[in-house]
Amino acid sequence: MKTSEMKLVVIITEDELEPRLTKEILALGARGYTASRVHGEGWHGARKSEWEGENVRIETIVPEPIANSILAHIADRYLPHYATVVYIQTVSILRVEKFT
């Protein structure tokens, strides 16, 4: 079975950003994404009430140049202003044509 290496970009951020971020990552070249509600605690602490909102995890699998564009966009536009974590991993996938 032949696999291809791609990049998994994971963004964990404030849920209010989901519509904007998903639109932007698609505009940057991603073919799709998966979003889910998540909770946890980090250096910002845990959200203590519904008033503070929830967190969302947005994942997309893309070629490396698109991953780099997404990371640069997030770093420039969101990291200075929002509770956001973004990371990238190399993954092996089947059916590369679904992602390119």
Side-chain angles (χ1 to χ4, degrees):
M1 183 172 346
K2 184 176 180 341
T3 61
S4 300
E5 282 195 355
M6 300 281 284
K7 298 298 181 181
L8 169 65
V9 178
V10 179
I11 305 159
I12 303 169
T13 192
E14 302 169 29
D15 67 341
E16 68 190 51
L17 299 178
E18 181 183 349
R20 185 179 347 163
L21 270 171
T22 53
K23 183 177 179 180
E24 291 168 352
I25 65 172
L26 292 173
L28 289 166
R31 300 271 314 265
Y33 63 88
T34 300
S36 54
R37 300 285 175 249
V38 295
H39 65 276
E41 186 170 341
W43 69 276
H44 278 103
R47 292 184 179 209
K48 304 293 185 201
S49 69
E50 287 182 23
W51 178 83
E52 293 177 297
E54 295 180 308
N55 291 327
V56 64
R57 177 184 176 126
I58 302 167
E59 300 176 317
T60 188
I61 298 173
V62 294
E64 187 170 8
I66 294 173
N68 291 335
S69 294
I70 293 170
L71 290 177
H73 179 76
I74 299 296
D76 181 54
R77 181 169 277 181
Y78 295 99
L79 291 183
H81 309 289
Y82 298 95
T84 301
V85 173
V86 60
Y87 59 91
I88 185 172
Q89 294 178 302
T90 300
V91 294
S92 297
I93 63 162
L94 298 172
R95 301 189 327 169
V96 70
E97 67 276 4
K98 299 287 184 183
F99 301 93
T100 57

Coordinates of all heavy atoms in Angstrom, one line a residue:
M1 N 0.8 -1.2 0.0 CA 0.0 0.0 0.0 C 0.9 1.2 0.0 O 1.8 1.4 0.8 CB -0.9 0.0 1.2 CG -1.9 1.0 1.3 SD -3.1 0.9 2.7 CE -3.0 -0.8 3.3
K2 N 0.7 2.1 -0.9 CA 1.5 3.3 -1.1 C 0.9 4.5 -0.3 O -0.3 4.8 -0.4 CB 1.6 3.7 -2.6 CG 2.4 4.9 -2.8 CD 2.6 5.2 -4.3 CE 3.4 6.4 -4.7 NZ 3.7 7.4 -3.8
T3 N 1.7 5.1 0.5 CA 1.3 6.3 1.3 C 2.1 7.5 0.8 O 3.2 7.3 0.2 CB 1.5 6.1 2.8 OG1 2.9 5.9 3.1 CG2 0.7 4.9 3.3
S4 N 1.6 8.7 1.1 CA 2.3 9.9 0.7 C 2.4 10.8 2.0 O 1.5 10.8 2.8 CB 1.5 10.7 -0.3 OG 1.4 9.9 -1.5
E5 N 3.5 11.5 2.1 CA 3.7 12.4 3.2 C 3.0 13.7 3.0 O 3.2 14.3 1.9 CB 5.1 12.6 3.6 CG 5.7 11.4 4.3 CD 7.1 11.7 4.9 OE1 7.6 12.8 4.7 OE2 7.6 10.8 5.6
M6 N 2.3 14.2 3.9 CA 1.6 15.5 3.9 C 1.8 16.1 5.3 O 2.4 15.5 6.2 CB 0.1 15.4 3.6 CG -0.2 14.7 2.3 SD 0.0 15.8 0.9 CE -1.5 16.8 1.1
K7 N 1.3 17.3 5.5 CA 1.4 18.0 6.8 C 0.0 18.1 7.4 O -1.0 18.5 6.7 CB 2.0 19.4 6.6 CG 3.4 19.4 6.1 CD 4.4 18.7 7.0 CE 5.8 18.7 6.4 NZ 6.7 18.0 7.3
L8 N -0.1 17.8 8.6 CA -1.3 18.0 9.4 C -1.1 19.3 10.2 O -0.2 19.4 11.0 CB -1.5 16.8 10.4 CG -2.6 17.0 11.4 CD1 -4.0 17.1 10.8 CD2 -2.6 15.9 12.4
V9 N -2.0 20.3 9.9 CA -2.0 21.5 10.7 C -3.1 21.5 11.7 O -4.2 21.2 11.3 CB -2.1 22.7 9.7 CG1 -2.1 24.0 10.5 CG2 -1.0 22.7 8.7
V10 N -2.8 21.7 12.9 CA -3.8 21.7 14.0 C -3.8 23.1 14.6 O -2.8 23.6 15.0 CB -3.5 20.7 15.1 CG1 -4.5 20.7 16.2 CG2 -3.4 19.3 14.4
I11 N -5.0 23.7 14.7 CA -5.2 25.0 15.3 C -6.2 24.8 16.4 O -7.3 24.3 16.2 CB -5.7 26.0 14.3 CG1 -4.9 26.1 13.0 CG2 -5.9 27.4 14.9 CD1 -5.6 26.6 11.8
I12 N -5.8 25.2 17.6 CA -6.7 25.2 18.8 C -6.9 26.7 19.2 O -5.9 27.3 19.5 CB -6.2 24.3 19.9 CG1 -5.9 22.9 19.4 CG2 -7.1 24.4 21.1 CD1 -5.2 22.0 20.4
T13 N -8.1 27.1 19.2 CA -8.3 28.5 19.4 C -9.7 28.8 20.0 O -10.5 27.8 20.2 CB -8.1 29.3 18.1 OG1 -8.1 30.7 18.4 CG2 -9.1 29.1 17.1
E14 N -10.1 30.0 20.1 CA -11.4 30.4 20.6 C -12.4 30.1 19.5 O -12.2 30.4 18.4 CB -11.4 31.9 20.9 CG -10.3 32.3 22.0 CD -10.0 33.8 22.1 OE1 -11.0 34.6 21.9 OE2 -8.9 34.1 22.5
D15 N -13.6 29.6 20.0 CA -14.6 29.1 19.0 C -15.2 30.2 18.1 O -15.6 30.0 17.0 CB -15.7 28.3 19.7 CG -16.5 29.1 20.6 OD1 -16.1 30.2 21.1 OD2 -17.7 28.7 21.0
E16 N -15.1 31.4 18.6 CA -15.7 32.5 17.8 C -14.9 32.7 16.5 O -15.4 33.3 15.5 CB -15.7 33.8 18.6 CG -14.3 34.4 18.9 CD -14.3 35.5 19.8 OE1 -14.8 35.4 20.9 OE2 -13.6 36.5 19.5
L17 N -13.7 32.2 16.4 CA -12.8 32.4 15.3 C -13.1 31.3 14.2 O -12.6 31.4 13.1 CB -11.3 32.4 15.6 CG -10.9 33.5 16.6 CD1 -9.4 33.3 16.9 CD2 -11.1 34.8 16.0
E18 N -13.8 30.3 14.5 CA -14.0 29.1 13.6 C -14.4 29.5 12.2 O -13.8 29.2 11.2 CB -14.9 28.1 14.2 CG -15.0 26.9 13.2 CD -16.0 25.8 13.7 OE1 -16.4 25.9 14.9 OE2 -16.4 25.0 12.9
P19 N -15.5 30.3 12.1 CA -16.0 30.6 10.7 C -15.0 31.4 9.9 O -14.7 31.1 8.7 CB -17.3 31.5 10.9 CG -17.7 31.2 12.3 CD -16.4 30.9 13.1
R20 N -14.3 32.3 10.5 CA -13.3 33.1 9.8 C -12.1 32.3 9.5 O -11.6 32.3 8.3 CB -12.9 34.3 10.7 CG -11.9 35.2 10.1 CD -11.5 36.4 10.9 NE -12.2 36.7 12.1 CZ -11.8 37.4 13.1 NH1 -10.6 38.1 13.0 NH2 -12.5 37.6 14.2
L21 N -11.6 31.5 10.4 CA -10.4 30.7 10.2 C -10.6 29.6 9.1 O -9.7 29.4 8.3 CB -9.9 30.0 11.5 CG -9.0 30.8 12.3 CD1 -8.8 30.1 13.7 CD2 -7.6 31.0 11.6
T22 N -11.7 29.0 9.2 CA -12.0 27.9 8.2 C -12.1 28.5 6.8 O -11.5 27.9 5.8 CB -13.2 27.1 8.5 OG1 -14.3 27.9 8.7 CG2 -13.0 26.3 9.8
K23 N -12.7 29.7 6.7 CA -12.7 30.3 5.4 C -11.3 30.7 4.9 O -11.0 30.5 3.7 CB -13.6 31.6 5.5 CG -13.8 32.3 4.2 CD -14.8 33.5 4.4 CE -15.0 34.3 3.1 NZ -15.9 35.4 3.3
E24 N -10.5 31.2 5.8 CA -9.2 31.6 5.4 C -8.3 30.4 5.0 O -7.5 30.5 4.1 CB -8.5 32.4 6.6 CG -9.2 33.8 6.7 CD -8.8 34.5 8.0 OE1 -8.2 33.9 8.9 OE2 -9.2 35.7 8.1
I25 N -8.4 29.3 5.8 CA -7.5 28.2 5.4 C -7.9 27.6 4.1 O -7.0 27.1 3.3 CB -7.4 27.1 6.5 CG1 -8.7 26.4 6.8 CG2 -6.8 27.7 7.8 CD1 -8.5 25.3 7.8
L26 N -9.2 27.6 3.8 CA -9.6 27.2 2.4 C -9.1 28.1 1.4 O -8.6 27.7 0.3 CB -11.1 27.1 2.4 CG -11.7 25.9 3.2 CD1 -13.3 26.0 3.2 CD2 -11.3 24.6 2.8
A27 N -9.1 29.4 1.6 CA -8.6 30.4 0.7 C -7.1 30.3 0.5 O -6.6 30.6 -0.6 CB -8.9 31.8 1.1
L28 N -6.4 29.8 1.5 CA -4.9 29.6 1.4 C -4.6 28.3 0.7 O -3.4 28.0 0.5 CB -4.3 29.6 2.8 CG -4.3 31.0 3.5 CD1 -4.0 30.9 5.0 CD2 -3.3 31.9 2.8
G29 N -5.6 27.5 0.3 CA -5.3 26.3 -0.5 C -5.7 24.9 0.1 O -5.6 23.9 -0.6
A30 N -6.2 24.9 1.4 CA -6.6 23.6 1.9 C -7.8 23.1 1.2 O -8.7 24.0 0.8 CB -6.9 23.8 3.4
R31 N -8.0 21.8 1.0 CA -9.1 21.3 0.3 C -10.3 21.0 1.3 O -11.4 20.7 0.8 CB -8.7 20.0 -0.4 CG -7.6 20.1 -1.4 CD -8.1 20.5 -2.8 NE -9.2 19.7 -3.4 CZ -9.1 18.7 -4.2 NH1 -7.9 18.2 -4.5 NH2 -10.2 18.1 -4.7
G32 N -10.0 21.0 2.6 CA -11.0 20.7 3.5 C -10.5 20.8 4.9 O -9.3 21.2 5.1
Y33 N -11.3 20.6 5.9 CA -10.9 20.7 7.3 C -11.8 19.9 8.2 O -12.9 19.5 7.8 CB -10.8 22.1 7.8 CG -12.2 22.8 7.8 CD1 -13.0 22.7 8.9 CD2 -12.6 23.5 6.7 CE1 -14.3 23.3 8.8 CE2 -13.9 24.1 6.6 CZ -14.7 24.0 7.7 OH -15.9 24.6 7.7
T34 N -11.4 19.6 9.4 CA -12.3 19.0 10.4 C -12.3 20.0 11.6 O -11.2 20.4 12.0 CB -11.8 17.6 10.8 OG1 -11.8 16.8 9.7 CG2 -12.7 17.0 11.9
A35 N -13.4 20.3 12.2 CA -13.5 21.1 13.4 C -14.3 20.4 14.5 O -15.3 19.8 14.2 CB -14.1 22.5 13.0
S36 N -13.8 20.6 15.7 CA -14.5 20.0 16.8 C -14.3 20.9 18.1 O -13.3 21.6 18.2 CB -14.0 18.6 17.1 OG -12.6 18.5 17.3
R37 N -15.3 20.8 19.0 CA -15.2 21.5 20.2 C -14.3 20.8 21.2 O -14.3 19.5 21.2 CB -16.6 21.7 20.9 CG -17.6 22.4 20.0 CD -17.3 23.9 20.0 NE -18.2 24.6 19.1 CZ -17.8 25.1 18.0 NH1 -16.6 25.1 17.6 NH2 -18.7 25.7 17.2
V38 N -13.4 21.5 21.9 CA -12.5 20.9 22.8 C -12.4 21.7 24.1 O -12.8 22.8 24.1 CB -11.1 20.8 22.1 CG1 -11.1 19.8 21.0 CG2 -10.5 22.1 21.7
H39 N -11.8 21.1 25.1 CA -11.6 21.8 26.3 C -10.2 21.4 26.9 O -9.7 20.3 26.5 CB -12.7 21.7 27.3 CG -12.8 20.3 27.8 ND1 -13.6 19.3 27.2 CD2 -12.3 19.7 28.9 CE1 -13.5 18.2 27.8 NE2 -12.8 18.4 28.9
G40 N -9.7 22.2 27.7 CA -8.4 21.9 28.3 C -7.9 23.0 29.1 O -8.6 24.0 29.4
E41 N -6.6 22.9 29.5 CA -6.1 24.0 30.3 C -4.6 24.2 29.9 O -3.9 23.2 29.7 CB -6.1 23.7 31.8 CG -5.7 24.8 32.7 CD -6.0 24.6 34.1 OE1 -6.8 23.8 34.5 OE2 -5.3 25.3 34.9
G42 N -4.2 25.4 29.8 CA -2.8 25.7 29.4 C -2.3 27.0 30.1 O -2.9 27.3 31.1
W43 N -1.4 27.6 29.5 CA -0.8 28.8 30.2 C -1.8 30.0 30.3 O -1.7 30.8 31.1 CB 0.5 29.3 29.5 CG 0.4 29.9 28.1 CD1 0.3 29.2 26.9 CD2 0.3 31.2 27.8 NE1 0.1 30.0 25.9 CE2 0.2 31.3 26.4 CE3 0.3 32.4 28.5 CZ2 0.1 32.5 25.7 CZ3 0.2 33.6 27.9 CH2 0.1 33.7 26.5
H44 N -2.9 30.0 29.4 CA -4.0 30.9 29.6 C -4.9 30.5 30.7 O -5.8 31.3 31.1 CB -4.8 31.1 28.3 CG -4.2 31.9 27.3 ND1 -3.5 31.5 26.2 CD2 -4.1 33.3 27.2 CE1 -3.1 32.5 25.5 NE2 -3.4 33.6 26.1
G45 N -4.8 29.3 31.2 CA -5.7 28.7 32.2 C -6.9 28.1 31.5 O -7.0 28.1 30.3
A46 N -7.8 27.6 32.3 CA -9.0 27.1 31.7 C -10.1 28.1 31.7 O -10.2 29.0 32.5 CB -9.5 25.9 32.6
R47 N -11.0 28.0 30.7 CA -12.2 28.9 30.6 C -13.1 28.5 31.8 O -13.4 27.3 31.9 CB -12.8 28.8 29.3 CG -11.9 29.4 28.2 CD -12.6 29.4 26.9 NE -11.6 30.0 26.0 CZ -12.0 30.7 24.9 NH1 -13.3 30.8 24.6 NH2 -11.1 31.2 24.1
K48 N -13.6 29.4 32.5 CA -14.3 29.1 33.7 C -15.8 29.2 33.6 O -16.6 28.8 34.4 CB -13.9 30.1 34.9 CG -12.4 30.0 35.2 CD -12.0 28.7 35.7 CE -10.5 28.8 36.1 NZ -9.9 27.5 36.2
S49 N -16.3 29.8 32.5 CA -17.7 30.0 32.3 C -18.1 29.9 30.9 O -17.3 30.1 30.0 CB -18.2 31.3 32.9 OG -17.7 32.4 32.1
E50 N -19.4 29.7 30.6 CA -19.9 29.7 29.3 C -19.8 31.1 28.6 O -19.6 31.2 27.4 CB -21.4 29.3 29.3 CG -21.7 27.9 29.5 CD -23.1 27.5 29.5 OE1 -23.9 28.3 28.8 OE2 -23.5 26.5 30.1
W51 N -19.8 32.1 29.4 CA -19.6 33.5 28.9 C -18.3 33.6 28.2 O -18.2 34.4 27.2 CB -19.7 34.5 30.1 CG -19.5 35.9 29.7 CD1 -20.4 36.7 29.1 CD2 -18.2 36.6 29.7 NE1 -19.8 38.0 28.8 CE2 -18.5 37.9 29.2 CE3 -17.0 36.3 30.1 CZ2 -17.5 38.9 29.1 CZ3 -16.0 37.3 30.0 CH2 -16.3 38.6 29.5
E52 N -17.2 32.9 28.6 CA -15.9 33.0 28.0 C -15.9 32.2 26.7 O -14.9 32.4 25.9 CB -14.8 32.4 28.9 CG -14.6 33.3 30.1 CD -13.6 32.7 31.0 OE1 -13.8 31.6 31.6 OE2 -12.5 33.3 31.2
G53 N -16.9 31.4 26.4 CA -16.9 30.7 25.2 C -16.2 29.3 25.3 O -15.7 29.0 26.4
E54 N -16.1 28.6 24.2 CA -15.5 27.3 24.2 C -14.2 27.4 23.3 O -14.0 28.5 22.7 CB -16.4 26.3 23.6 CG -17.6 26.0 24.5 CD -18.5 25.0 23.9 OE1 -18.9 25.1 22.7 OE2 -18.9 24.0 24.6
N55 N -13.5 26.3 23.2 CA -12.4 26.2 22.3 C -12.8 25.3 21.1 O -13.6 24.5 21.2 CB -11.2 25.7 23.0 CG -10.6 26.6 24.0 OD1 -10.7 27.8 23.8 ND2 -10.1 26.1 25.1
V56 N -12.1 25.6 20.0 CA -12.3 24.7 18.8 C -11.0 24.2 18.3 O -9.9 24.9 18.4 CB -13.1 25.5 17.7 CG1 -12.2 26.7 17.2 CG2 -13.4 24.6 16.5
R57 N -11.0 23.0 17.8 CA -9.8 22.4 17.2 C -10.1 22.3 15.7 O -11.0 21.6 15.4 CB -9.5 21.1 17.8 CG -8.3 20.4 17.2 CD -8.1 19.0 17.9 NE -7.1 18.2 17.3 CZ -6.0 17.7 18.0 NH1 -6.0 17.9 19.3 NH2 -5.1 17.0 17.3
I58 N -9.2 22.9 14.9 CA -9.4 22.8 13.4 C -8.2 22.1 12.9 O -7.0 22.5 13.2 CB -9.5 24.2 12.8 CG1 -10.7 25.0 13.4 CG2 -9.6 24.2 11.3 CD1 -10.7 26.5 13.1
E59 N -8.4 21.1 12.1 CA -7.4 20.3 11.5 C -7.5 20.2 10.0 O -8.6 20.2 9.5 CB -7.4 18.8 12.0 CG -7.3 18.7 13.5 CD -7.4 17.2 14.0 OE1 -8.4 16.5 13.5 OE2 -6.6 16.8 14.8
T60 N -6.4 20.3 9.3 CA -6.4 20.2 7.9 C -5.1 19.5 7.5 O -4.1 19.7 8.1 CB -6.5 21.6 7.2 OG1 -6.7 21.4 5.8 CG2 -5.4 22.5 7.5
I61 N -5.2 18.7 6.4 CA -4.1 18.0 5.9 C -3.8 18.6 4.5 O -4.6 18.7 3.7 CB -4.3 16.5 5.7 CG1 -4.6 15.9 7.1 CG2 -3.2 15.8 5.0 CD1 -5.0 14.4 7.1
V62 N -2.5 19.1 4.4 CA -2.2 19.9 3.2 C -0.7 19.6 2.8 O 0.1 19.1 3.6 CB -2.3 21.4 3.5 CG1 -3.8 21.8 3.7 CG2 -1.5 21.8 4.7
P63 N -0.3 19.9 1.6 CA 1.1 19.9 1.2 C 1.9 20.9 2.0 O 1.3 21.9 2.5 CB 1.1 20.3 -0.3 CG -0.3 20.0 -0.8 CD -1.2 20.3 0.4
E64 N 3.2 20.7 2.1 CA 4.0 21.5 3.0 C 3.9 23.0 2.7 O 3.9 23.9 3.6 CB 5.4 21.1 3.0 CG 6.3 21.8 4.0 CD 7.7 21.1 4.1 OE1 8.0 20.2 3.4 OE2 8.4 21.6 5.0
P65 N 4.0 23.4 1.4 CA 3.9 24.9 1.1 C 2.6 25.5 1.6 O 2.6 26.7 2.1 CB 4.0 25.0 -0.4 CG 4.6 23.7 -0.8 CD 4.2 22.7 0.1
I66 N 1.5 24.8 1.5 CA 0.2 25.4 2.1 C 0.3 25.4 3.6 O -0.2 26.4 4.2 CB -1.0 24.6 1.5 CG1 -1.1 24.8 0.0 CG2 -2.3 25.0 2.2 CD1 -2.1 23.9 -0.7
A67 N 0.8 24.4 4.2 CA 1.0 24.4 5.7 C 1.8 25.6 6.1 O 1.4 26.2 7.1 CB 1.6 23.1 6.1
N68 N 2.9 25.9 5.4 CA 3.7 27.0 5.8 C 2.9 28.3 5.6 O 3.1 29.2 6.5 CB 5.0 27.0 5.0 CG 5.9 25.9 5.4 OD1 5.9 25.4 6.5 ND2 6.8 25.5 4.4
S69 N 2.1 28.4 4.6 CA 1.3 29.6 4.4 C 0.3 29.8 5.5 O 0.1 30.9 6.0 CB 0.6 29.6 3.1 OG 1.5 29.6 2.0
I70 N -0.3 28.7 5.9 CA -1.3 28.7 7.0 C -0.6 29.1 8.3 O -1.1 30.0 9.1 CB -2.1 27.4 7.2 CG1 -2.9 27.1 5.9 CG2 -2.9 27.3 8.5 CD1 -3.5 25.7 5.9
L71 N 0.5 28.5 8.6 CA 1.2 28.9 9.9 C 1.6 30.4 9.9 O 1.5 31.0 10.9 CB 2.5 28.0 10.0 CG 2.3 26.5 10.3 CD1 3.6 25.8 10.4 CD2 1.5 26.3 11.6
A72 N 2.1 30.9 8.8 CA 2.5 32.3 8.7 C 1.3 33.2 8.9 O 1.4 34.2 9.6 CB 3.2 32.6 7.4
H73 N 0.2 32.8 8.3 CA -1.1 33.6 8.4 C -1.5 33.6 9.9 O -1.9 34.7 10.4 CB -2.1 33.0 7.5 CG -3.4 33.7 7.6 ND1 -3.6 34.9 7.0 CD2 -4.6 33.4 8.2 CE1 -4.9 35.3 7.2 NE2 -5.5 34.4 7.9
I74 N -1.6 32.5 10.5 CA -2.0 32.4 11.9 C -1.1 33.2 12.8 O -1.5 33.9 13.7 CB -2.1 30.9 12.4 CG1 -3.0 30.1 11.6 CG2 -2.4 30.8 13.9 CD1 -4.5 30.5 11.7
A75 N 0.2 33.0 12.6 CA 1.2 33.7 13.4 C 1.1 35.2 13.3 O 1.2 35.9 14.3 CB 2.6 33.3 13.0
D76 N 0.8 35.7 12.2 CA 0.7 37.1 11.9 C -0.6 37.7 12.4 O -0.7 38.7 13.1 CB 0.9 37.4 10.4 CG 0.8 38.9 10.1 OD1 1.5 39.7 10.7 OD2 -0.1 39.3 9.3
R77 N -1.7 37.0 12.1 CA -3.0 37.6 12.4 C -3.6 37.2 13.7 O -4.4 38.0 14.3 CB -4.0 37.2 11.3 CG -5.4 37.7 11.4 CD -6.2 37.5 10.3 NE -5.9 38.6 9.3 CZ -6.5 38.7 8.1 NH1 -7.4 37.9 7.8 NH2 -6.2 39.7 7.4
Y78 N -3.3 36.0 14.2 CA -4.1 35.6 15.4 C -3.2 35.4 16.7 O -3.7 35.7 17.8 CB -4.8 34.2 15.1 CG -5.8 34.4 14.0 CD1 -5.6 34.1 12.7 CD2 -7.1 34.9 14.4 CE1 -6.6 34.3 11.7 CE2 -8.1 35.2 13.4 CZ -7.8 34.8 12.1 OH -8.8 35.1 11.2
L79 N -2.0 34.9 16.6 CA -1.2 34.7 17.8 C -1.1 35.9 18.7 O -1.2 35.7 19.9 CB 0.1 34.1 17.4 CG 0.1 32.6 16.9 CD1 1.5 32.2 16.6 CD2 -0.6 31.7 17.8
P80 N -0.9 37.1 18.2 CA -0.7 38.2 19.1 C -2.0 38.6 19.8 O -2.0 39.3 20.8 CB -0.3 39.4 18.1 CG 0.2 38.7 16.9 CD -0.6 37.5 16.8
H81 N -3.2 38.2 19.3 CA -4.4 38.7 19.8 C -5.4 37.7 20.5 O -6.4 38.1 21.1 CB -5.2 39.4 18.7 CG -4.3 40.4 17.9 ND1 -3.9 41.6 18.5 CD2 -3.8 40.3 16.7 CE1 -3.2 42.2 17.6 NE2 -3.1 41.5 16.5
Y82 N -5.2 36.4 20.2 CA -6.1 35.4 20.7 C -5.4 34.3 21.4 O -4.2 34.0 21.1 CB -6.9 34.8 19.5 CG -7.8 35.9 18.8 CD1 -7.3 36.5 17.7 CD2 -9.0 36.2 19.2 CE1 -8.0 37.5 17.0 CE2 -9.8 37.2 18.6 CZ -9.3 37.8 17.5 OH -10.0 38.8 16.8
A83 N -6.1 33.6 22.2 CA -5.6 32.3 22.9 C -5.6 31.3 21.8 O -6.6 30.7 21.5 CB -6.5 31.9 24.0
T84 N -4.5 31.1 21.2 CA -4.3 30.2 20.0 C -3.1 29.4 20.1 O -2.0 29.9 20.4 CB -4.3 31.0 18.7 OG1 -5.5 31.8 18.6 CG2 -4.2 30.1 17.5
V85 N -3.2 28.1 19.8 CA -2.1 27.2 19.7 C -2.1 26.6 18.2 O -3.2 26.2 17.8 CB -2.1 26.0 20.7 CG1 -1.0 25.0 20.4 CG2 -2.1 26.6 22.1
V86 N -1.0 26.6 17.6 CA -1.0 26.0 16.2 C 0.3 25.1 16.1 O 1.3 25.5 16.6 CB -1.0 27.1 15.1 CG1 0.1 28.0 15.2 CG2 -1.1 26.4 13.7
Y87 N 0.1 23.9 15.6 CA 1.3 23.1 15.3 C 1.1 22.3 14.1 O 0.0 22.2 13.5 CB 1.6 22.2 16.5 CG 0.5 21.2 17.0 CD1 0.5 20.0 16.4 CD2 -0.4 21.6 17.9 CE1 -0.5 19.1 16.9 CE2 -1.4 20.7 18.3 CZ -1.5 19.4 17.8 OH -2.4 18.6 18.2
I88 N 2.2 21.7 13.6 CA 2.2 21.0 12.4 C 2.9 19.6 12.6 O 3.9 19.5 13.4 CB 3.0 21.8 11.3 CG1 2.9 21.1 9.9 CG2 4.4 22.1 11.7 CD1 3.5 22.0 8.8
Q89 N 2.4 18.6 12.0 CA 3.0 17.2 12.1 C 3.1 16.7 10.6 O 2.2 17.0 9.8 CB 2.1 16.3 12.9 CG 2.0 16.7 14.3 CD 1.1 15.7 15.1 OE1 0.0 15.6 14.7 NE2 1.7 15.0 16.1
T90 N 4.1 15.8 10.4 CA 4.2 15.1 9.2 C 3.3 13.8 9.3 O 3.5 13.1 10.3 CB 5.6 14.7 8.8 OG1 6.3 15.9 8.7 CG2 5.7 13.9 7.6
V91 N 2.4 13.6 8.4 CA 1.6 12.4 8.4 C 1.7 11.6 7.1 O 2.0 12.2 6.1 CB 0.1 12.8 8.7 CG1 -0.1 13.3 10.1 CG2 -0.4 13.7 7.7
S92 N 1.5 10.3 7.2 CA 1.4 9.5 6.0 C 0.0 9.2 5.7 O -0.8 8.8 6.5 CB 2.2 8.2 6.2 OG 3.6 8.5 6.4
I93 N -0.4 9.5 4.4 CA -1.8 9.3 4.1 C -2.0 8.4 2.9 O -1.1 8.3 2.1 CB -2.5 10.7 3.9 CG1 -1.9 11.4 2.7 CG2 -2.5 11.5 5.1 CD1 -2.8 12.4 2.1
L94 N -3.2 7.8 2.8 CA -3.6 7.2 1.6 C -4.5 8.2 0.8 O -5.0 9.1 1.3 CB -4.5 6.0 1.9 CG -3.8 4.9 2.7 CD1 -4.8 3.8 3.2 CD2 -2.7 4.2 1.9
R95 N -4.6 7.9 -0.5 CA -5.5 8.7 -1.4 C -5.0 10.2 -1.4 O -5.8 11.1 -1.1 CB -6.9 8.6 -1.0 CG -7.4 7.2 -1.1 CD -8.9 7.0 -1.0 NE -9.6 7.9 -0.1 CZ -10.9 7.9 -0.1 NH1 -11.6 7.2 -0.8 NH2 -11.5 8.8 0.7
V96 N -3.8 10.5 -1.7 CA -3.2 11.8 -1.7 C -4.0 12.8 -2.6 O -4.1 14.0 -2.3 CB -1.7 11.8 -2.1 CG1 -1.5 11.5 -3.5 CG2 -1.1 13.1 -1.7
E97 N -4.7 12.2 -3.6 CA -5.4 13.1 -4.5 C -6.6 13.8 -3.8 O -7.1 14.8 -4.3 CB -6.0 12.2 -5.7 CG -7.0 11.2 -5.3 CD -6.4 9.9 -4.8 OE1 -5.2 9.7 -4.7 OE2 -7.3 9.0 -4.6
K98 N -7.0 13.3 -2.7 CA -8.1 14.0 -1.9 C -7.6 15.3 -1.3 O -8.4 16.1 -0.8 CB -8.7 13.0 -0.9 CG -9.3 11.8 -1.4 CD -10.6 12.1 -2.1 CE -11.2 10.8 -2.5 NZ -12.4 11.0 -3.2
F99 N -6.3 15.4 -1.2 CA -5.7 16.5 -0.4 C -4.9 17.5 -1.3 O -4.4 18.5 -0.8 CB -4.8 16.0 0.7 CG -5.5 15.1 1.7 CD1 -5.6 13.7 1.5 CD2 -6.2 15.6 2.8 CE1 -6.3 12.9 2.4 CE2 -6.9 14.8 3.6 CZ -6.9 13.4 3.4
T100 N -4.7 17.2 -2.5 CA -3.9 18.1 -3.4 C -4.8 18.6 -4.5 O -5.8 18.2 -4.8 CB -2.7 17.3 -4.0 OG1 -3.2 16.1 -4.7 CG2 -1.8 16.9 -2.9

